[in-house]
Structure formats: C-alpha cells, structure tokens
Amino acid sequence: MSHPRLRRRALTIATGMALAAGALAVPAHAATASVPSGRHLHDDFNGDGYADLAVAAPTATVDGRKGAGYVAVVYGSSSGLKTSTRQVFSQNSAGVPGGAETDDAFGSAVSTADLDRDGYADLVVGVGGEDSAAGTDAGMIEVLWGGPKGLSGGALLAGGKAYDAFGAHGHLTVGDVNGDGAPEVVTVESAQNVRVFSGPFARDGSTTHGGQVVTDHEDSRFLDLAAGDVNGDGITDVVAAVNDGDEWDARGVAVWTGTHDGLDPYTMVRDKSGYAMQGGESLAVGDVNRDGYADIVVGRAMEGADSDVDTPLAKGGRIAWIPGTAAGPDGTKAVIMNQDSPGVPGAAVPGSGFGTGLSIADIDGDGYRDIAVGVPGASGGGRVVTLRGTANGPTGTGAKAFSQDTAGVPGAGESGDWFGTAVRLVDADHDGRADLAVGAPGENTKAGAVWVLRGTSAGITPTGSFGFASGTLGTVATGAQLGYRFGS
C-alpha cells in the first residue's frame, strides 16, 4: 500500500454539482496517420499533426483501489478535441509497468515529449505515491509510447528512494537541457535536489547517456517545475517555483541555465531592489511578447502571509510575468496583475486563488501568446481569465472570463467545483488558435470534470463548448478529481 505525499493546492476541493453523463466509453485508439513532414508537436501522440490533450485523475479508484489514479487522453482532429477518440491509462493497462495500488497516484504529474525521437510524442507520467523496494513513497516516472495508432505500451524511466516521491505534483518537467536534440526528464530527489535523466531513451526506458544531479545547498523546497529557453541560446532552461527560505511563505523563482554540459547551478530571479523576487506556487513558460525569449509566468494563489507586505497585488491571488532576455529572466521588468488590475474581469476577493492554474499559447492567432489563468476559488464555483499577449507583455485590455455560468458553457457553477484548478491551451485543430481546456476537480463532489472552449480570432468563445467526465471515459467517478492536472 502506498501513501503519496502529493503537494496539495492551498485550496481544499469541496462539494460540486453533477456534469451530465457523457457517452458510454468505447475502445479508443486514434486513427492511423503518417507523421506530416516537418510537423512534429510535443503533444501529438499519433503524429497526425493535431495536438492532443492528456488529463489526470491521480486520486481515482482503479479496479477497487482508491487513489491508484489514471490519465485520460483525448485526441485532436480537424474539428478539435474529440471524446470519441480517447484512451484511459492506469498501471493496470496493458504494457504499463507496475499495477494499480491504493494511493499510488498515477498521474500526479504529467508531461509530454518525444523521448525516443521516433517522430511521435510520448506521455511522461509521475506516480508520486508508488512504494518500491527502495522504500515507502519512493515514487516513479513512467512513459507511454506514442505511435501511429496513439499511445501504447510503456516503460519505467526512473524510481526514487524512500520518500523522494519521484513524479509528485510539481516535480516533473521535460526539456533538452544539454542541447543535443534529445529531451531530458527532470525531477526532484531528496526533496531539494534536481535530478536529470538524459535522453534519448530506448523502448525499455533505458538510456546510455547517464544524467546529472544538481545539488541545492540552500534547503529549498520545490513547488512547481517548468522548462523553456529563457535566454534564447537554443538550449532549454529549467525554472522552479520554490520556497527559498526558513519561512513557509518565502516564495521565489529559481532558474537553472541549460548548457552543453547540462544544467548550471540555479540563480534566483531578482527584483528592482536586488532581492530575490517574491514568487508563487505555479508556473508556465512561453514567449508572450514575441521577442524570441521564453518568459516566465508565476502564479501566487497563496495570500494572507507576512510576505504579502512586500508582494504587490497579493489580495485574491496574483500572477507575475517575467520577461526572458539574453541574460535570462529580468525580474526588474516584471508585470504583476491581479483581478483589480485594469481591464481584468472580476474583483480581487480573498480566497479567489487567481493564478492557481496557468497556461500560455496564442489564442487568437495574432502571433502573441496569451495567458489563461485559473481562479478556482472565485464565487460561483471558479472561473478562468484569459489575458492577451502584447509586445509589452500581458494586458488586461481585451481580457475575458469564463465559468460554468457563462452563457453557452454546459452546467452551472456551484461552490466547491474549483473550475480553473488546472488549465491548458492546446491547438487541437491546427488552425493557429489555441482552445482552452479547464479542469474542475471538485465537480460532482470531487468526481471532477473537464470543459473545452474553442479559440477564435476574437479570443475564446463559449459557443460550441463541451464537457466530459467519468461517464464519457467509463471510469469510476467517486473521488477521482478528474481535471486536477493536464499534460504540458
């Protein structure tokens, strides 16, 4: 039996309302397709040129084992995400290593990359609560292999030591941190050291390229990991939201620069005062201002702590956009926003959790990447706010908000739904405009559900939106918290 130490959101998921049951589950494999020349997406599992969506339910019951967890995949198409082409994976699925056990938390973290360089994206899954011969809560990281018929088969990539919780929430990302063209898997071991497993990986999960451990001597604690090229040198860097001091609310943003020799020791992003910039608990990385450097967006949903005195706009949660430059992220030019910022819908109300979920992609096709921000504690069951990207970073001008009470969105919001706990912008129909997927893990008394809203040249629209839950997937609803996490 396992006892996962998932890093929980500060907000507690409570009772939600029921989503209408979807179609009965059917055996689901995406249609066979060749890999389009020059069109390899990091989240296209069947190589048809359309991005796919992976969504986790790490507390779900599988074959009677509570908290075993599963990950569902919905495939993209010319008409967007289609629930008729879906797959559900657990550790009891054919080819997936291990077996479903109580509290294993399969899907505690999810990422995507082509680990074996065959032209098909693979799904990297954290199993943060897995017990092994190495000890209790050692955790493990597994891969499900992509191919022309979708995901099939898998392998064990790495396992931790007792209480490492390899693959726990916030402890997994993927990127080419040594510039050799093959992605690395990056996780956390011993609670504070970054562990790198170097690719490419063979189909049995092995690699001949070793890896790296970057030791932290500052007793930091990692809250979230993300990857992107924040200095524009062509090599992926790793970013972390960290608790970087003795005080529990001392949030910071750490960056490990990628080099041809691997990751350098981290540096902290600093603000205009020269001190470590106050960070948060969630991260997204992407080029918002279209200058060729990936930017960092950090969400700070936590509030009411002593450090709020030095944290602008902490009320109700906030985000900070930190632009990338040739010298790395520049905290002196950060743009900080909350729901009281000009143009941002709603109002900054304590407990709203603005910044809990984050995703970056171009929604309207104007060439600038936009930001989706989850506000799961907002009144009425939570909402998502979209912020437009510009040459100067994100702006409240043209911002929009969506909830279950928005006309055209299925269902009705209720307290405890936590709509917006996870968000994902994904161009599932390859039209150059990202669609918005929203997770509400508290829906229907913690059964959870997912909504999909379409992207247009005018931004996200509720027209044609749809939702799906356990009825569509053919899974156990009770306590699953579907929508807790999306693949990134």
Side-chain angles (χ1 to χ4, degrees):
M1 182 178 296
S2 303
H3 307 279
R5 294 187 175 184
L6 293 178
R7 293 184 182 271
R8 304 292 186 185
R9 302 286 186 190
L11 304 173
T12 302
I13 297 175
T15 302
M17 64 159 290
L19 179 73
L24 293 177
V26 296
H29 289 277
T32 300
S34 59
V35 181
S37 175
R39 179 67 177 171
H40 299 320
L41 303 177
H42 76 93
D43 49 4
D44 179 9
F45 304 123
N46 61 357
D48 63 357
Y50 302 106
D52 308 313
L53 178 73
V55 55
T59 64
T61 296
V62 176
D63 292 338
R65 294 165 176 83
K66 293 182 179 180
Y70 69 78
V71 177
V73 175
V74 178
Y75 287 87
S77 72
S78 59
S79 58
L81 293 170
K82 296 176 63 177
T83 58
S84 60
T85 54
R86 63 188 180 276
Q87 294 176 286
V88 177
F89 296 94
S90 73
Q91 286 186 292
N92 280 358
S93 299
V96 178
E101 297 176 304
T102 300
D103 290 337
D104 273 357
F106 182 83
S108 53
V110 187
S111 193
T112 58
D114 183 5
L115 295 189
D116 57 356
R117 294 197 295 185
D118 66 350
Y120 301 95
D122 309 307
L123 183 65
V124 185
V125 182
V127 195
E130 181 76 28
D131 293 343
S132 70
T136 301
D137 291 345
M140 64 172 53
I141 299 171
E142 300 182 334
V143 60
L144 307 179
W145 299 112
K149 294 184 178 181
L151 294 169
S152 64
L156 172 66
L157 295 179
K161 304 184 296 294
Y163 303 113
D164 269 353
F166 261 25
H169 167 65
H171 283 191
L172 177 65
T173 193
V174 179
D176 181 11
V177 302
N178 59 13
D180 67 353
E184 278 71 52
V185 174
V186 182
T187 188
V188 176
E189 70 173 18
S190 301
Q192 64 189 75
N193 299 328
V194 168
R195 179 70 181 269
V196 179
F197 297 91
S198 296
F201 295 85
R203 284 293 221 175
D204 64 358
S206 64
T207 176
T208 60
H209 295 270
Q212 178 187 14
V213 177
V214 186
T215 303
D216 172 33
H217 299 289
E218 301 298 328
D219 196 31
S220 299
R221 294 294 182 268
F222 299 96
L223 308 176
D224 202 7
L225 290 180
D229 185 5
V230 297
N231 61 5
D233 65 356
I235 303 176
T236 304
D237 311 301
V238 174
V239 182
V242 300
N243 184 316
D244 66 339
D246 295 332
E247 299 298 327
W248 71 274
D249 63 324
R251 303 292 195 250
V253 181
V255 179
W256 294 260
T257 301
T259 75
H260 289 294
D261 296 317
L263 295 178
D264 279 346
Y266 78 74
T267 58
M268 300 299 296
V269 176
R270 300 192 176 276
D271 59 20
K272 294 178 180 179
S273 69
Y275 292 103
M277 180 177 172
Q278 281 287 342
E281 302 83 39
S282 55
L283 287 172
V285 176
D287 185 4
V288 173
N289 60 353
R290 204 171 64 174
D291 65 353
Y293 304 101
D295 310 316
I296 300 170
V297 177
V298 56
R300 184 185 176 98
M302 184 197 74
E303 59 182 315
D306 290 344
S307 61
D308 285 357
V309 174
D310 301 316
T311 305
L313 305 178
K315 183 181 178 182
R318 54 86 155 168
I319 66 165
W321 171 75
I322 307 169
T325 73
D330 187 352
T332 68
K333 297 180 180 178
V335 174
I336 298 176
M337 304 175 71
N338 75 351
Q339 290 186 97
D340 282 344
S341 297
V344 178
V349 177
S352 295
F354 184 82
T356 300
L358 292 172
S359 188
I360 299 173
D362 185 0
I363 294 172
D364 53 13
D366 67 351
Y368 292 97
R369 290 182 173 93
D370 310 301
I371 304 171
V373 184
V375 199
S379 61
R383 70 170 66 98
V384 176
V385 172
T386 58
L387 303 172
R388 292 180 54 250
T390 74
N392 297 314
T395 177
T397 302
K400 296 183 177 183
F402 303 91
S403 73
Q404 289 186 74
D405 292 330
T406 301
V409 176
E414 291 185 349
S415 177
D417 284 351
W418 298 114
F419 184 92
T421 295
V423 296
R424 174 70 174 152
L425 292 170
V426 55
D427 185 7
D429 58 2
H430 190 194
D431 67 351
R433 298 184 290 268
D435 305 317
L436 172 65
V438 184
E443 177 77 13
N444 195 19
T445 318
K446 298 186 183 180
V450 175
W451 281 258
V452 179
L453 288 74
R454 190 165 56 91
T456 73
S457 59
I460 295 294
T461 177
T463 302
S465 60
F466 65 93
F468 64 89
S470 58
T472 301
L473 301 175
T475 54
V476 175
T478 303
Q481 298 187 73
L482 177 67
Y484 167 82
R485 193 77 166 172
F486 290 114
S488 59

